[in-house]
Amino acid sequence: MDKIISVDNIVKSILYRDEFIEIIDIKDAYDYIYINEANYERTKILNYDRYLLYVVVPFIKSVLFILGVLGVLELYYDLPSINNRLYLKNGYLSKFDGIKYIKITELGKYCLGKIEKYDFSHIKEEGEILLDEDRLIATVIGDLPIKTMFLERVAQKIAPNKYKFTRESFLRGIKGCKELQERIDEFKTKISTELNSYWSDFFDDLLEKSSAIKADPEFVVLKLKNDRDLISTITKDTRFKSLMLKGEDYHVLVKSENVSQVVDLFKEYGYYVNF
């Protein structure tokens, strides 16, 4: 991820894999696209190689430039060169032809999911977020791209600058209590630490319910077959009673530390436990 990558290699890789390169329908490109040359001639795209050279490659390079402008890529480029068999006023077909190499920035690694956190503190934003006092609605005032990006991830956009919070939207993508706490901390860092009781109660309720049910690794659940002899064996042999708890629908709970003893007891009667 820290290497400088040749743009030519990227282009060749995309063309070789034939991925996302039919930007414009081939037939439409042949029929309707013309390139106006400096000698007033109009060059048509007559074959697939010209389609790649005049449409696809400039498009790929333009996307890389856009990602560079957004800070996702670090760009290494030179003046565009004349290598397209066309007679053009500027000597080049696209102003992006000069891009030679790229490198993924820390922001790019974050966007690609290669790193979990990125420090946005050095990015200055002009504006503020207003939290409604009696509704779970945040209003964006000014230009706040980083904060807005976070709001779009955790809330529902209801107007150009308004976001409504719901349990479903805020929990989107959350897998457990720890991740929820991290998201709430992120909200306080990026949006506001000054929360009234209405907002605090919302987050407290989410946290309380997220920790209300926990898997208990201390127990192993065994599913018994509805077999009269098996049930009779467990009922009559009192040794089972101290080692397991009865559940519903022929399920029993066994403490992890007692599993080996229960397995051995079942073996005495010819039963085997399948894990």
Side-chain angles (χ1 to χ4, degrees):
M1 295 294 288
D2 294 319
K3 295 181 179 179
I4 296 175
I5 307 168
S6 166
V7 170
D8 283 342
N9 288 342
I10 293 174
V11 171
K12 289 176 182 177
S13 175
I14 294 174
L15 297 183
Y16 175 76
R17 295 178 181 179
D18 198 26
E19 294 180 342
F20 314 113
I21 62 173
E22 293 192 3
I23 305 153
I24 302 172
D25 184 78
I26 302 286
K27 186 177 185 305
D28 290 341
Y30 291 166
D31 293 341
Y32 303 116
I33 293 182
Y34 296 87
I35 299 173
N36 293 322
E37 300 193 56
N39 57 2
Y40 302 105
E41 292 187 3
R42 304 177 74 189
T43 298
K44 289 190 66 174
I45 296 175
L46 300 175
N47 56 57
Y48 192 67
D49 287 340
R50 294 292 177 92
Y51 170 76
L52 296 178
L53 182 63
Y54 297 156
V55 177
V56 177
V57 174
F59 173 77
I60 295 172
K61 292 183 176 181
S62 68
V63 170
L64 295 177
F65 253 92
I66 291 172
L67 293 175
V69 171
L70 294 174
V72 175
L73 299 178
E74 186 176 311
L75 305 179
Y76 300 82
Y77 56 91
D78 199 351
L79 292 175
S81 58
I82 306 172
N83 60 355
N84 48 41
R85 310 173 202 167
L86 297 172
Y87 181 59
L88 302 170
K89 183 178 179 180
N90 294 323
Y92 53 83
L93 179 62
S94 166
K95 64 180 72 175
F96 308 116
D97 284 344
I99 184 171
K100 301 296 183 183
Y101 302 94
I102 63 165
K103 182 180 178 182
I104 300 175
T105 64
E106 290 301 304
L107 176 60
K109 294 176 186 176
Y110 175 73
C111 294
L112 292 171
K114 299 301 181 182
I115 57 176
E116 293 184 359
K117 294 183 179 180
Y118 178 77
D119 183 12
F120 289 95
S121 60
H122 65 284
I123 300 176
K124 295 183 179 180
E125 297 183 301
E126 297 181 359
E128 62 177 327
I129 303 289
L130 300 180
L131 301 180
D132 202 303
E133 293 184 357
D134 53 9
R135 296 180 301 171
L136 296 173
I137 293 178
T139 303
V140 180
I141 307 297
D143 186 21
L144 302 168
I146 302 302
K147 291 181 173 61
T148 299
M149 185 167 60
F150 174 74
L151 290 174
E152 290 180 346
R153 184 156 56 94
V154 300
Q156 178 185 356
K157 190 172 185 179
I158 58 174
N161 67 331
K162 289 184 180 292
Y163 295 84
K164 179 181 179 181
F165 285 76
T166 63
R167 185 189 312 277
E168 291 76 15
S169 66
F170 198 82
L171 294 177
R172 190 182 301 132
I174 294 292
K175 297 180 180 178
C177 185
K178 183 180 177 181
E179 290 185 7
L180 174 59
Q181 183 63 65
E182 290 175 351
R183 179 164 292 182
I184 292 174
D185 292 341
E186 187 178 3
F187 176 93
K188 293 178 179 179
T189 300
K190 292 181 177 178
I191 306 303
S192 177
T193 56
E194 300 178 3
L195 305 176
N196 65 13
S197 60
Y198 193 80
W199 285 87
S200 295
D201 290 346
F202 172 69
F203 291 130
D204 289 344
D205 181 64
L206 291 179
L207 283 172
E208 183 178 350
K209 290 182 177 178
S210 72
S211 59
I213 304 172
K214 293 183 179 179
D216 191 346
E218 186 179 355
F219 285 90
V220 173
V221 179
L222 302 180
K223 170 70 172 176
L224 306 178
K225 185 179 180 181
N226 184 7
D227 180 87
R228 180 181 299 177
D229 291 337
L230 174 59
I231 303 302
S232 176
T233 297
I234 296 173
T235 304
K236 291 180 179 179
D237 192 327
T238 57
R239 291 177 295 173
F240 282 107
K241 188 175 182 180
S242 62
L243 298 174
M244 60 175 57
L245 298 173
K246 184 179 179 182
E248 298 292 332
D249 192 26
Y250 299 102
H251 288 84
V252 293
L253 283 72
V254 182
K255 278 193 172 184
S256 299
E257 62 193 48
N258 296 331
V259 169
S260 61
Q261 290 178 260
V262 171
V263 169
D264 289 339
L265 278 177
F266 278 126
K267 282 184 179 179
E268 290 183 17
Y269 294 94
Y271 296 105
Y272 287 84
V273 180
N274 299 292
F275 289 97

